[in-house]
Amino acid sequence: FIKRFAHRIVVLDRNEQLLYALGSGIKGSEPGEFSQPHFITVNAAGELFVADTFNARIQKFAPDGKFITAWGRVGNEPGEYSHHGYLARIDVDGHGFIYVREFDGGRIQKYTENGEYIATFASRGTQPGQLDEGYGLSVIDGKLYCPDTFESRIQVFSLDGELLENWDYGEGNAGSHFNHPVDIAETSTGELIITDWKNDRVLKL
């Protein structure tokens, strides 16, 4: 559970009982401190990866909350994040790789689970294979699903960054049309759930 403006991560058990909290509750940049963390993901080993948004870095923690490592800083080079392209989403695949998306920087960066830079996918733009402003990035069935929020479309990439599909049906509120889709997830039965922000609805595909 992320308390973004409290600069903390609260970890609960399945009965919603507190296990531990990460962060001091005060904005900071030391290891284990946060500046408005936005998203978190967990790998198969139970390690936590936090998008420490306005510190422009990823922090990694052990399952018990012990700090392990951090990577990233402001910049436009590999392993860096543009100052205005704050970290919008983070996810992990089943092969030991982490994917980080910038909100308006248009890039997705791929790392090992220890923070070693692998590759950069996409760039800022509106053409197929480019990303404009957007929040979502989910690894589903071995693919990267990216809601391109302000272009009202969803793009699907391989885990190596190849554009596979571009769901761009035109902005609207009927059928499979989107109006600012924000996030996407998979149900236990393999269906896709999309939050469609400005249509005030959830789509099931």
Side-chain angles (χ1 to χ4, degrees):
F1 180 75
I2 298 175
K3 302 181 74 173
R4 177 160 56 100
F5 291 106
H7 314 292
R8 301 180 72 201
I9 306 292
V10 177
V11 181
L12 309 177
D13 66 17
R14 65 181 61 191
N15 296 315
E16 300 184 3
Q17 299 300 306
L18 177 67
L19 293 176
Y20 57 85
L22 303 175
S24 64
I26 299 173
K27 179 179 178 180
S29 58
E30 294 298 316
E33 296 181 336
F34 304 106
S35 179
Q36 294 191 33
H38 275 61
F39 292 100
I40 188 170
T41 193
V42 180
N43 66 9
E47 296 168 324
L48 289 74
F49 299 83
V50 181
D52 188 10
T53 299
F54 290 107
N55 281 325
R57 66 183 179 182
I58 306 301
Q59 294 199 64
K60 178 182 179 180
F61 299 87
D64 63 0
K66 181 181 178 181
F67 173 81
I68 297 176
T69 190
W71 68 86
R73 62 183 181 182
V74 173
N76 294 303
E77 298 301 316
E80 300 176 338
Y81 306 104
S82 60
H83 180 63
H84 297 292
Y86 69 75
L87 308 186
R89 196 68 162 85
I90 182 172
D91 208 353
V92 59
D93 68 16
H95 306 287
F97 295 102
I98 303 294
Y99 303 84
V100 183
R101 180 176 178 182
E102 293 176 334
F103 171 72
D104 62 3
R107 301 184 300 175
I108 298 169
Q109 296 194 52
K110 180 177 181 178
Y111 303 88
T112 69
E113 290 176 328
N114 293 318
E116 178 186 352
Y117 171 82
I118 301 296
T120 297
F121 310 149
S123 61
R124 177 70 185 266
T126 60
Q127 296 300 311
Q130 294 182 314
L131 296 168
D132 199 6
E133 295 179 353
Y135 300 92
L137 178 148
S138 296
V139 178
I140 299 173
D141 194 26
K143 302 174 186 176
L144 290 172
Y145 286 76
C146 299
D148 203 4
T149 305
F150 287 83
E151 291 300 310
S152 293
R153 64 184 179 181
I154 293 174
Q155 300 196 71
V156 185
F157 297 86
S158 74
L159 298 182
D160 293 320
E162 176 188 358
L163 179 65
L164 301 176
E165 300 177 49
N166 181 24
W167 303 353
D168 191 0
Y169 310 118
E171 188 174 291
N173 59 6
S176 56
H177 293 262
F178 307 117
N179 191 344
H180 291 63
V182 172
D183 208 355
I184 185 168
E186 184 181 30
T187 68
S188 60
T189 55
E191 296 154 320
L192 297 178
I193 301 294
I194 299 167
T195 51
D196 198 18
W197 171 21
K198 292 199 173 181
N199 279 327
D200 294 318
R201 65 178 182 175
V202 174
L203 294 176
K204 183 178 181 180
L205 304 180

